[in-house]
Amino acid sequence: MVVPILFGVSVIVFFLMRLVPGDPALVILGLRATPEGLAAIHRDLGLDLPIHRQYIHWLGNFLSGDLGRDYRSNEAVTTLLAQRLPVTIELTLLSLLMSTAVSIPIGVQAARKPKGWADRAADAIGLVGISVPDFWLGIILVLVFSLGFGIFPSSGYTPLSVGLAQNLSGFVLPSLTLAVGLAAVLVRVTRSAVAEVMAMNFVRFLRAKGLSEPAIFYRHVLRNAALPIVTVTSMQFGYLLGGAVIVEQVFDLPGVGNLIVTATLERNFPVVQAGVLIVAAFVIFVNLAADLLNLLLNPKMSEADL
Amino acid sequence: MSEKRQLQPRSGTPVLLRMAARSRAVTAGLAIVGLLALAAMLAPWLTGGDPSEMDFNTIMASPSRGHLFGTDNFGRDVLTRVIFGLQVSLVVAISSVTLALIVGVPLGLFAGYRGGWGGAAIMRMTDVVMAFPAIVFVVALAGIFGASVTLMVLSIALIFAPIAVRVTAVASSAIKNELYIEGAQARGASHTRIMALHILPNAFAPIAVQASALMGIAILFESAISFIGLGVQPPTPSLGLMLAENRPFMGNAPWLVLGPGVCILLAVLGFNLIGDGLPKLFGRSARS
Amino acid sequence: MALLQINDLTVSFETGAGCVEAVSAVSFHLANGEILGLVGESGCGKSTVAYSLLGLLPPHARVGGSIKFDAVDIAKLDERALRKLRGNRIAMIFQDPMTALDPSFRIGSQLVETLRLHLNLDGVTAAKRAVELLRSVGISSPELRMQAYPHELSGGMRQRVALAIAISCNPDVLIADEPTTGLDVTIQAQVLQLIRVLLTKEKRSGVLLITHDLGVIANYCDRVAVMYAGKIVETGAVSDIFGDPKHPYTQGLLAAIPDGTIARGALRTIPGRVPALTDRGAGCRFAPRCPMALPVCLQPDSPPWVGLSQQREVACVQYAIT
């Protein structure tokens, strides 16, 4: 499943970039453009070849790690991505951590006690969390915690090498911003997954076997509810990366999303192309990893289903 | 079946009243969306009429009777701009969702009901498009073709169409095994006729639920893309764009970011309330 | 002395709209080595009776009367004491065997779990015992099956595994709630025969078999209690009840069996419907549908509980008049 999807994605990305009006050679040379110069650059970039050969050429380069060069700075796109990826990864992982830490316990408790406090909290988080625009939430968090209380920085990134505390404090507000939408989805999924398992016949049989409620719950119910929760979390990863694009803008974090947006505004296409493809590949591989995890958790699934 | 029957209009009680009795969520959602839509439609009459009208005597004035949401750094009335921005948001959302349904529903019907290699090809295509994080996709398209409202509608529709395909396909492949479909086939009805007359009406509930959720997402997308400068371009008022423009001044004038943000939140909340409550109104079939 | 003695068992559920009584003053007993069939239409309260015997009713249920088992009253036990009984002295298997086992755990681990819980066995001994149990319920190559997941087994096999789990601690009482619904007729017979041999013949345990299927009662039970709308209307030995049903409801049920041995000719049904839980008037609950109803049947103290012989009792006013 993964390879054909990746192939499709790469074809779309490649041809989208060919749709770009204008000649990239003109962008590179600008006012210094001469017919000879343009032709030379066309040869260099392989733009004089037929389109399918261009694609194969591009894909070959891509797979061997050559993602092209930044039109403006002439830096290798690979280098740029290597600088930016860690920021995005840290941001998404931290928000994944934050949202699971809140939503899974609340969702579980909500399923155990319908109409209890957790159930109401789950309703509220589930509804407001998916309705709030994340960039606005980020702005409000800055307004309150940076401008108001002065606890966390309002923007910017401190590398991990400078210090863990400074690094993390810069990530608190962005990760929180990004976590809210995911938490909303996860809290709903957790609640319904746990409630569904608790209503299953085998739970009644476990009671009849004489197992205690905690043993039934922690050993059997959670184990079975974990499956849909893992699946949905991984499916939401794409959403998280999309959100990261916006959140990186709000907090001025130098991640891949920020790179893509800046490059888009500057019409710096090799960077956009590589960035989009990397992000899509990332999403596909996270889904693959989730499938593998499901294989471990779900005895009904076999390798053939992948 | 019994729940479906209850949906048939009975004479006497108005449809809206009965819906209100059955789902508070849908009622609340319809009320919010209805009020916002009304405000957006009546924008020229509700407000001074010109969202760009500047008044340098009232720059960054805090909320007051004359300016309920305050004024911005050019002395423009924030409420007026919010209402006009809402107009743009709703137009973008309605047109992109409609477009996505027009493209996605027939493809989904085909994939779900007929299946075969054509159906499989449609489903694989949706896999590919859905592998892109939506925002990244919209951003990239805006970069290629230049930012504009039309492009934003098209690219949001392109992202939503696979979702519409999926929902319709799942619903119709479940329905196609029902006895009444077999009955229709046995009577010699054509496939097109079966899809239009039997499958589509029964797949309506999940599609409606999804469409309502997509309206909310579209509003979020529109404002987010405009916020980063790749959507609606000034001077057209847009909620996302306003937030980007007003943000530098929020330390002194927090109302500049409160009004537009709360307005987006409310609009999205309204659509999500409708989407959450609809399954209850439609009965089991809507839950997928 | 009876193994299990139930006296005036009453179960009601608190709902938003008040209290509804699902089981009303039910009394019966179960002896060692016998299979007692509890028969009735769905919704008559037979499953509620079964759950109350294990203390497995939902929290909003209120239980009255007594359930005497081994000199204690189960109805008054706390959760901790109940857990020691469940799966150990009193075991239960349920309908719908397809979903009775946890899909995420291997068959072996689900068996071992119960054995270790109640018998304090170490892992190796428990695993050995589990293999024996699987063999005893007729599962071929049990060592291999220990490693299987439930979805890899057929419905009949799964019910055998559930039965193996239920009998793993040599229970005194087995409650089987419609254990063969959803199984093929031949598999049904195998499972029921297994229950009869393993529990009543070998171990002298008592079995309470809950079913709506009179054929099952006729073939596998020693005695039968017929329930209607939350009450027992007639009890007795299977041969007596099938040969000479006394209660008009039992007569109606038997007449409705379509196999021709009892009712020849047209298929007969009992006219009318079972009254709703909230709609049970005074007097005999079957009276509104009874072809022989008399005005006295609707009196609040009706029907009387009439002992016809030592084993034979019926709740009907006709037999009190003489």
Side-chain angles (χ1 to χ4, degrees):
Chain A
M1 257 340 281
V2 175
V3 175
I5 292 182
L6 263 181
F7 174 73
V9 166
S10 71
V11 170
I12 290 184
V13 171
F14 176 79
F15 283 98
L16 274 182
M17 291 305 145
R18 295 303 115 166
L19 290 175
V20 173
D23 185 344
L26 262 175
V27 178
I28 293 170
L29 291 179
L31 294 173
R32 293 171 290 131
T34 60
E36 296 78 32
L38 290 176
I41 289 188
H42 282 167
R43 245 193 331 278
D44 279 357
L45 295 175
L47 294 176
D48 54 342
L49 297 170
I51 192 100
H52 65 277
R53 295 223 17 222
Q54 282 187 36
Y55 170 73
I56 293 168
H57 180 74
W58 172 77
L59 190 67
N61 283 344
F62 193 90
L63 293 177
S64 60
D66 176 8
L67 306 185
R69 284 184 176 278
D70 186 321
Y71 279 169
R72 282 162 200 269
S73 65
N74 205 32
E75 240 181 304
V77 175
T78 326
T79 324
L80 282 175
L81 283 175
Q83 288 164 359
R84 303 299 192 95
L85 259 179
V87 180
T88 304
I89 292 176
E90 187 173 357
L91 174 66
T92 45
L93 285 184
L94 283 173
S95 54
L96 187 65
L97 201 70
M98 281 187 189
S99 50
T100 45
V102 173
S103 59
I104 291 182
I106 292 182
V108 165
Q109 187 57 33
R112 296 185 82 172
K113 278 250 163 65
K115 303 211 185 292
W117 66 267
D119 200 17
R120 286 170 210 285
D123 276 340
I125 296 173
L127 189 61
V128 179
I130 52 164
S131 303
V132 66
D134 43 14
F135 65 95
W136 179 69
L137 180 67
I139 291 176
I140 296 299
L141 288 177
V142 167
L143 187 62
V144 175
F145 291 99
S146 308
L147 302 184
F149 297 118
I151 312 176
F152 300 111
S154 64
S155 69
Y157 167 72
T158 320
L160 204 53
S161 52
V162 175
L164 182 66
Q166 287 104 309
N167 171 270
L168 284 182
S169 95
F171 272 112
V172 171
L173 296 184
S175 314
L176 188 61
T177 305
L178 195 51
V180 168
L182 182 62
V185 176
L186 282 187
V187 84
R188 287 177 172 213
V189 170
T190 307
R191 175 172 60 184
S192 68
V194 172
E196 198 172 303
V197 175
M198 288 208 305
M200 285 182 175
N201 280 335
F202 75 81
V203 173
R204 195 176 53 180
F205 188 54
L206 291 171
R207 289 204 181 98
K209 278 163 73 168
L211 256 63
S212 67
E213 286 301 316
I216 293 172
F217 192 78
Y218 290 105
R219 189 169 145 83
H220 293 276
V221 173
L222 284 190
R223 167 71 181 270
N224 283 283
L227 258 169
I229 298 173
V230 167
T231 310
V232 172
T233 309
S234 72
M235 274 164 38
Q236 289 298 312
F237 202 79
Y239 160 85
L240 214 51
L241 279 174
V245 173
I246 304 294
V247 171
E248 284 172 5
Q249 285 307 107
V250 175
F251 291 93
D252 203 16
L253 288 174
V256 179
N258 189 294
L259 181 71
I260 294 175
V261 173
T262 316
T264 306
L265 289 168
E266 291 174 347
R267 305 177 71 75
N268 195 345
F269 293 111
V271 178
V272 178
Q273 194 173 31
V276 172
L277 196 53
I278 283 290
V279 169
F282 213 72
V283 172
I284 294 169
F285 280 110
V286 167
N287 286 334
L288 180 68
D291 281 350
L292 291 174
L293 190 57
N294 257 342
L295 197 62
L296 287 177
L297 284 171
N298 186 359
K300 281 188 202 165
M301 229 166 91
S302 66
E303 285 83 353
D305 298 325
L306 285 189
Chain B
M1 270 319 276
S2 63
E3 290 195 78
K4 210 173 278 167
R5 217 172 288 131
Q6 285 174 28
L7 269 184
Q8 303 298 321
R10 277 169 289 170
S11 55
T13 35
V15 181
L16 278 175
L17 270 182
R18 269 182 295 117
M19 268 171 59
R22 293 190 58 196
S23 169
R24 273 192 303 173
V26 173
T27 315
L30 282 176
I32 294 174
V33 170
L35 278 178
L36 292 178
L38 202 66
M41 278 188 287
L42 300 179
W45 297 278
L46 277 183
T47 65
D50 182 7
S52 307
E53 190 185 277
M54 302 183 200
D55 179 358
F56 290 102
N57 297 317
T58 55
I59 284 179
M60 296 217 287
S62 54
S64 64
R65 281 180 71 95
H67 302 283
L68 283 176
F69 284 11
T71 60
D72 69 5
N73 54 315
F74 294 111
R76 297 178 295 195
D77 180 49
V78 176
L79 180 59
T80 303
R81 292 181 64 71
V82 163
I83 292 176
F84 276 94
L86 187 64
Q87 212 176 33
V88 175
S89 286
L90 288 175
V91 167
V92 168
I94 292 170
S95 27
S96 56
V97 172
T98 309
L99 200 57
L101 291 179
I102 290 175
V103 175
V105 169
L107 287 175
L109 271 176
F110 181 85
Y113 175 68
R114 298 301 298 277
W117 66 266
I122 291 172
M123 295 313 278
R124 289 299 78 77
M125 264 156 55
T126 67
D127 282 338
V128 171
V129 178
M130 285 168 92
F132 290 99
I135 293 268
V136 177
F137 200 73
V138 178
V139 166
L141 287 176
I144 297 165
F145 300 105
S148 74
V149 174
T150 321
L151 178 82
M152 192 160 46
V153 168
L154 288 176
S155 51
I156 294 176
L158 189 62
I159 290 295
F160 284 176
I163 301 173
V165 171
R166 285 272 179 99
V167 173
T168 316
V170 169
S172 43
S173 79
I175 296 164
K176 78 170 175 202
N177 295 322
E178 298 277 343
L179 274 177
Y180 57 86
I181 302 296
E182 278 177 36
Q185 284 164 341
R187 284 196 303 276
S190 73
H191 289 307
T192 324
R193 192 181 160 81
I194 290 174
M195 283 194 269
L197 287 183
H198 299 288
I199 307 255
L200 192 56
N202 287 294
F204 176 74
I207 296 173
V209 170
Q210 189 66 58
S212 178
L214 287 180
M215 284 296 294
I217 299 174
I219 292 171
L220 285 178
F221 274 8
E222 184 277 323
S223 58
I225 303 287
S226 300
F227 174 77
I228 57 177
L230 289 169
V232 176
Q233 299 298 314
T236 311
S238 147
L239 297 168
L241 196 57
M242 274 174 80
L243 283 166
E245 291 168 347
N246 294 350
R247 192 183 166 198
F249 312 104
M250 71 176 173
N252 300 321
W255 56 86
L256 286 180
V257 295
L258 282 177
V262 170
C263 181
I264 302 171
L265 173 63
L266 274 181
V268 182
L269 192 72
F271 282 110
N272 282 331
L273 278 168
I274 298 175
D276 280 357
L278 275 184
K280 204 171 154 195
L281 283 189
F282 285 129
R284 287 208 142 267
S285 61
R287 261 163 254 155
S288 53
Chain C
M1 198 203 135
L3 180 60
L4 195 61
Q5 178 70 52
I6 286 97
N7 283 323
D8 284 330
L9 178 69
T10 299
V11 182
S12 47
F13 294 101
E14 276 169 26
T15 66
C19 228
V20 292
E21 205 170 86
V23 174
S24 311
V26 160
S27 302
F28 65 92
H29 72 275
L30 180 67
N32 286 92
E34 74 165 351
I35 301 185
L36 171 65
L38 189 57
V39 70
E41 292 164 80
S42 54
C44 73
K46 52 193 197 301
S47 287
T48 306
V49 169
Y51 290 140
S52 62
L53 301 186
L54 276 177
L56 281 179
L57 293 168
H60 62 283
R62 298 284 166 268
V63 180
S66 69
I67 304 165
K68 288 270 160 50
F69 169 73
D70 199 19
V72 296
D73 184 354
I74 292 177
K76 295 193 171 56
L77 289 180
D78 64 358
E79 179 65 21
R80 219 182 154 72
L82 280 169
R83 277 210 309 272
K84 288 215 175 96
L85 287 182
R86 286 183 202 143
N88 187 15
R89 310 273 318 269
I90 304 180
M92 184 159 179
I93 55 175
F94 296 90
Q95 51 188 327
D96 200 4
M98 295 306 279
T99 56
L101 302 169
D102 185 336
S104 296
F105 287 83
R106 294 177 199 277
I107 301 302
S109 102
Q110 303 195 43
L111 265 161
V112 167
E113 185 178 41
T114 321
L115 288 166
R116 299 193 66 172
L117 179 71
H118 293 299
L119 304 180
N120 283 322
L121 298 179
D122 63 276
V124 179
T125 325
K128 267 192 198 143
R129 174 106 176 85
V131 172
E132 284 165 32
L133 281 164
L134 287 180
R135 190 172 286 125
S136 75
V137 294
I139 286 180
S140 56
S141 44
E143 291 87 354
L144 227 66
R145 298 292 184 205
M146 289 279 285
Q147 300 303 314
Y149 284 101
H151 73 272
E152 295 164 336
L153 305 180
S154 67
M157 290 275 257
R158 287 186 221 181
Q159 193 61 300
R160 282 167 195 262
V161 173
L163 184 60
I165 292 173
I167 65 171
S168 60
C169 304
N170 289 318
D172 301 303
V173 176
L174 175 73
I175 300 162
D177 184 7
E178 307 259 11
T180 55
T181 27
L183 298 180
D184 288 346
V185 182
T186 48
I187 312 281
Q188 267 187 29
Q190 289 168 9
V191 169
L192 289 166
Q193 187 61 27
L194 205 55
I195 290 175
R196 180 148 83 179
V197 172
L198 287 177
L199 286 134
T200 60
K201 298 281 185 291
E202 292 178 6
K203 301 198 174 93
R204 305 291 300 158
S205 310
V207 176
L208 179 65
L209 180 61
I210 292 160
T211 181
H212 61 268
D213 184 343
L214 288 163
V216 167
I217 300 277
N219 287 321
Y220 298 95
C221 294
D222 303 300
R223 285 192 307 123
V224 59
V226 182
M227 264 187 99
Y228 181 79
K231 284 187 161 179
I232 290 185
V233 294
E234 183 168 13
T235 66
V238 166
S239 53
D240 291 344
I241 297 237
F242 277 71
D244 180 19
K246 295 290 189 198
H247 196 283
Y249 175 63
T250 319
Q251 290 167 353
L253 269 186
L254 291 173
I257 296 181
D259 67 4
T261 54
I262 291 159
R264 283 177 222 286
L267 181 64
R268 286 209 281 152
T269 55
I270 305 173
R273 291 190 307 129
V274 183
L277 274 177
T278 46
D279 186 28
R280 290 172 176 170
C284 177
R285 287 174 184 172
F286 188 61
R289 299 170 73 186
C290 182
M292 284 166 262
L294 301 166
V296 65
C297 292
L298 294 172
Q299 297 293 317
D301 56 345
S302 209
W305 188 239
V306 187
L308 299 173
S309 65
Q310 213 195 336
Q311 288 267 301
R312 196 73 204 278
E313 289 171 304
V314 64
C316 183
V317 74
Q318 309 178 47
Y319 304 97
I321 293 168
T322 51

